[in-house]
Amino acid sequence: MAAAELKIEGEGDRLTLRAVGRWTGEGAARLDRRLHAIDAKTYRRVRFELGAVEALDTVGAWLLNRTGEELRHRGLEVELANVPTTLAPLIARVSATGAPPMPTRRHPSRILHFLARIGGGTIGALRFGYDLLGFFGLVTVRILRVLAQPWRLRLNATVRHLEETGLDALPIVGLISMLVGLVLAYQGVDQLRPFGAEIYMVNLVGVATLREMGILLTAIVVAGRSGSAFTAEIGTMKVNEEVDALSTLGLDPVEILVLPRLIGLLITLPLLAFFADIMSLVGGAIGGLLLIDLTLPQFLDQLSIAVTPIMFWVGIVKAPVFAFVISMVGCFEGLRVTGSAESVGRQTTKAVVESIFLVIVLDALFSILFSVLGI
Amino acid sequence: MVEAVQAREVVIKVRGLVNRFGRETIHDGLDLDVFKGEILGVVGGSGAGKSVLLRSIVGLNHPAAGHIEVLGRNTAKLSGAELVRLQQRWGVLFQNGALFSALTVAENVAVPLKEHRHMPPALIQEIAALKVALVGLPADAGAKYPAQLSGGMRKRAALARALALDPEIVFLDEPTAGLDPIAAAGFDQLILSLRDSLGLTVFMVTHDLDSLEAICDRIAVLIDRHITVGTLAEHLHNPHPWIQEYFTGPRARAAFA
């Protein structure tokens, strides 16, 4: 097995290129350089001598063909000599096919590209808002219809979503909330100790948990695990044309796919938020016990001074709103899936990012609203 | 004629192949020889294990028992590096193309070249363009993404990727499934002409009776967990009821007429 080689012999006005050995992809880099470096200025005729070629693949054949074409283009006469019969079909095929240059994508100037991206992003965001608003409208109409005709609600599907978004989320929501309660207690005690006011750690944990942390953490966890599941489930059905099948069977995809998820989450998110509140307070109580020997009755006494039922309701009232946003965005992105499996992944990522973003924005708006109302 | 065939070089040798899924036996002691330069069609009912046979030969499926030799190497006994070298000597066209959707067609073809061949980028571009043209795609197809192509074009693009490293064997899993008759016939002719010019050996799982008739040198029928290999004419004389039904049924009569 001789390695690929090219012998260049010039004589009078004739250049002989002698190909030797295995002209295949393995040795192509060297051959490519050698062929590019051929200086044929002083010659008028070129002869490829192929008698000693041991093996040829499309790469080798392409190199021969490309070089021949270039030399011909410069006005030289090119001929192939002693082509082994077994290689002739390949050489003929490659030279008949050629490699037409592919249109390269033109890169516009950087500033133009930058502006185009800003413009594209803006239009995309506006279109997203417009489409989402339209979807809200559609779902509202369907909700009104189900209110008028309650038997239209898919009870089995709703119960399944109650289980998947609610019951199955209890361990993760509980664990996270308890740990956050514990962390708040530790930080609170640390900061309050210089003032001898460690006991107010209970106020800190209680108020922060009930007003903000409980519901916010729950909503973020649910957006991550249930919002994404909504998009992935509906998106997969979209890819399999199951959503189209529903339509052709005279079934309304919004009624069958969206409403059970929406109603399920509207019920489970407030319950989960309540559970998160309790677990976070448990975390705070454990922190108190560990850090400042605060017994449970003492903790509860201080808690009853620190918090009012209003604070609890301020937190819980946000839950249905967040549930609405998470399920809306999840289902909306699922229905926007087009064609490929790749699209399912992309829309799922978008759904999670958008719903978490919207949840936090709404939470900020609630804070402003409550502060204006003086609650 | 038969002697001449027997004397040819065997590139795929399967002996005593057994495949089981759970309690179900798919292949029970299957023997098969594929000769250099031939186009072998593999047929069989749904669930007969055509794709499993293909996957076993290319090493995507580990058989329960048996011995598989490809190009003289026992695929089960190779080290990682040796297997990678052997894999470069075959190309696989999956049923739905399996093109990388994030890359353009030309980039798809360039993936194995970049990984396994030390070539300057300009040459890789040229070879990718050559492969795209070899499978009969228009020049502008190279810059398109798989999602922008029709089913037939996607199959051709996938074939271009399978041919990227100039393999000696190509495995095709139902290459004409889902194509219209004109595109399917075009694909058949493409396989035939590539076999003749590139010297390929083709292992083709198919359901397409027209392909079997038009381009296959021999046909392997998977049936009752075993395999029967022969030319179309030989199968027509096989008394087995399924083979008779397959090759002389109403659709077959239309295809072979």
Side-chain angles (χ1 to χ4, degrees):
Chain A
M1 286 215 307
E5 229 178 299
L6 176 71
K7 291 181 180 154
I8 304 172
E9 297 155 13
E11 187 191 324
D13 66 347
R14 184 154 89 184
L15 180 71
T16 304
L17 301 173
R18 202 178 294 276
V20 179
R22 298 177 57 81
W23 274 52
T24 58
E26 278 90 0
R30 217 164 52 85
L31 292 174
D32 187 45
R33 271 199 307 279
R34 296 266 288 153
L35 288 167
H36 269 306
I38 288 175
D39 179 16
K41 281 198 197 78
T42 55
Y43 305 101
R44 291 202 26 248
R45 283 181 296 160
V46 178
R47 183 184 165 92
F48 281 101
E49 189 64 56
L50 302 182
V53 173
E54 286 168 24
L56 187 75
D57 67 2
T58 55
V59 178
W62 164 249
L63 289 173
L64 287 176
N65 180 59
R66 187 192 68 189
T67 312
E69 288 296 315
E70 276 169 11
L71 294 173
R72 244 178 232 124
H73 195 71
R74 285 196 236 157
L76 281 82
E77 273 175 47
V78 179
E79 62 166 335
L80 300 184
N82 295 329
V83 180
T85 46
T86 49
L87 304 182
L90 176 60
I91 293 174
R93 176 79 189 227
V94 168
S95 88
T97 310
M102 272 177 286
T104 47
R105 271 167 287 174
R106 278 189 298 143
H107 292 287
S109 73
R110 284 201 177 176
I111 294 174
L112 211 63
H113 185 66
F114 180 65
L115 288 177
R117 279 195 65 161
I118 292 178
T122 311
I123 292 171
L126 290 175
R127 181 169 293 274
F128 169 77
Y130 180 78
D131 289 348
L132 190 60
L133 200 64
F135 185 65
F136 274 14
L138 178 64
V139 172
T140 310
V141 171
R142 291 292 181 272
I143 290 173
L144 293 176
R145 189 166 80 180
V146 166
L147 286 179
Q149 304 165 324
W151 62 88
R152 281 183 166 275
L153 180 67
R154 314 286 146 161
L155 209 58
N156 283 342
T158 311
V159 170
R160 182 172 77 89
H161 290 297
L162 284 179
E163 182 184 337
E164 284 181 3
T165 61
L167 201 62
D168 295 350
L170 284 178
I172 182 76
V173 167
L175 182 67
I176 288 180
S177 303
M178 195 170 81
L179 289 176
V180 168
L182 200 63
V183 168
L184 281 177
Y186 266 81
Q187 295 301 325
V189 166
D190 258 10
Q191 296 301 315
L192 295 168
R193 185 167 284 145
F195 308 101
E198 291 101 321
I199 188 70
Y200 288 106
M201 169 275 280
V202 180
N203 299 47
L204 175 73
V205 173
V207 174
T209 292
L210 295 188
R211 290 192 72 125
E212 291 293 341
M213 298 312 284
I215 175 60
L216 195 59
L217 281 173
T218 311
I220 289 173
V221 169
V222 166
R225 73 184 287 289
S226 299
S228 60
F230 291 174
T231 309
E233 287 162 5
I234 295 179
T236 308
M237 293 183 74
K238 194 86 195 277
V239 171
N240 287 338
E241 296 184 310
E242 290 173 53
V243 176
D244 296 336
L246 286 175
S247 301
T248 58
L249 293 169
L251 302 164
D252 179 32
V254 170
E255 191 179 293
I256 290 181
L257 299 177
V258 180
L259 289 194
R261 288 178 168 80
L262 174 65
I263 291 167
L265 205 58
L266 280 174
I267 295 171
T268 55
L269 194 61
L271 295 176
L272 280 176
F274 175 73
F275 177 65
D277 285 351
I278 300 298
M279 292 307 285
S280 185
L281 292 177
V282 168
I286 293 173
L289 194 66
L290 293 177
L291 289 169
I292 51 173
D293 294 325
L294 197 67
T295 61
L296 190 59
Q298 286 171 310
F299 181 86
L300 291 176
D301 272 349
Q302 183 62 27
L303 190 66
S304 66
I305 301 167
V307 303
T308 59
I310 287 286
M311 285 181 190
F312 168 73
W313 289 114
V314 160
I316 288 296
V317 78
K318 296 186 239 180
V321 179
F322 291 171
F324 189 76
V325 167
I326 292 167
S327 51
M328 271 305 97
V329 172
C331 296
F332 174 66
E333 291 294 356
L335 288 170
R336 287 221 300 180
V337 165
T338 51
S340 65
E342 192 197 357
S343 164
V344 177
R346 201 168 41 229
Q347 296 306 116
T348 305
T349 313
K350 274 175 127 178
V352 173
V353 172
E354 285 161 1
S355 51
I356 290 179
F357 169 77
L358 286 174
V359 160
I360 292 175
V361 167
L362 283 173
D363 192 60
L365 290 178
F366 268 118
S367 289
I368 297 170
L369 178 71
F370 290 139
S371 123
V372 168
L373 292 177
I375 299 172
Chain B
M1 185 65 203
V2 175
E3 286 83 352
V5 169
Q6 295 284 312
R8 287 160 71 189
E9 188 185 334
V10 175
V11 290
I12 302 174
K13 188 169 166 186
V14 179
R15 289 290 176 272
L17 180 72
V18 178
N19 269 306
R20 286 193 199 94
F21 288 122
R23 294 173 146 228
E24 200 169 344
T25 304
I26 309 289
H27 302 136
D28 188 8
L30 199 143
D31 294 343
L32 174 68
D33 284 327
V34 182
F35 300 111
K36 189 174 172 60
E38 76 170 338
I39 299 181
L40 178 78
V42 178
V43 304
S46 295
K50 305 182 292 291
S51 295
V52 177
L53 174 60
L54 190 158
R55 293 173 67 87
S56 300
I57 296 173
V58 300
L60 291 172
N61 179 59
H62 294 288
H67 174 94
I68 296 171
E69 252 177 50
V70 182
L71 297 163
R73 315 294 304 269
N74 182 344
T75 51
K77 295 227 169 79
L78 293 178
S79 71
E82 286 173 317
L83 186 64
V84 168
R85 262 202 299 285
L86 185 61
Q87 280 167 339
Q88 292 175 34
R89 297 173 67 187
W90 72 55
V92 184
L93 170 61
F94 290 94
Q95 198 169 347
N96 294 315
L99 289 164
F100 304 124
S101 52
L103 304 179
T104 65
V105 170
E107 287 166 348
N108 261 285
V109 179
V111 165
L113 291 169
K114 283 182 184 159
E115 184 66 28
H116 296 304
R117 296 279 183 269
H118 299 288
M119 290 187 195
L123 183 59
I124 286 183
Q125 291 276 319
E126 290 165 10
I127 298 298
L130 172 70
K131 295 287 150 85
V132 169
L134 263 182
V135 297
L137 287 172
D140 63 339
K144 286 186 178 163
Y145 287 92
Q148 296 170 296
L149 300 179
S150 69
M153 291 171 85
R154 217 172 300 154
K155 286 270 168 77
R156 284 174 186 258
L159 183 61
R161 188 181 67 184
L163 293 174
L165 295 175
D166 283 286
E168 291 157 60
I169 309 171
V170 286
F171 295 90
L172 312 175
D173 195 356
E174 303 208 16
T176 54
L179 300 189
D180 69 71
I182 297 171
F187 204 89
D188 283 347
Q189 290 311 311
L190 174 67
I191 293 168
L192 195 59
S193 75
L194 287 174
R195 191 269 305 258
D196 293 340
S197 54
L198 306 185
L200 298 170
T201 303
V202 181
F203 180 103
M204 178 167 75
V205 172
T206 188
H207 267 308
D208 191 331
L209 292 156
D210 292 304
S211 299
L212 293 175
E213 201 268 330
I215 63 168
C216 290
D217 298 313
R218 292 192 306 151
I219 299 167
V221 183
L222 272 168
I223 192 165
D224 302 336
R225 299 180 293 282
H226 287 89
I227 201 163
T228 311
V229 191
T231 61
L232 182 59
E234 287 164 9
H235 284 303
L236 289 173
H237 292 107
N238 190 318
H240 192 289
W242 192 88
I243 295 179
Q244 278 301 313
E245 178 83 31
Y246 192 93
F247 289 103
T248 62
R251 282 164 168 260
R253 276 202 296 279
F256 302 154

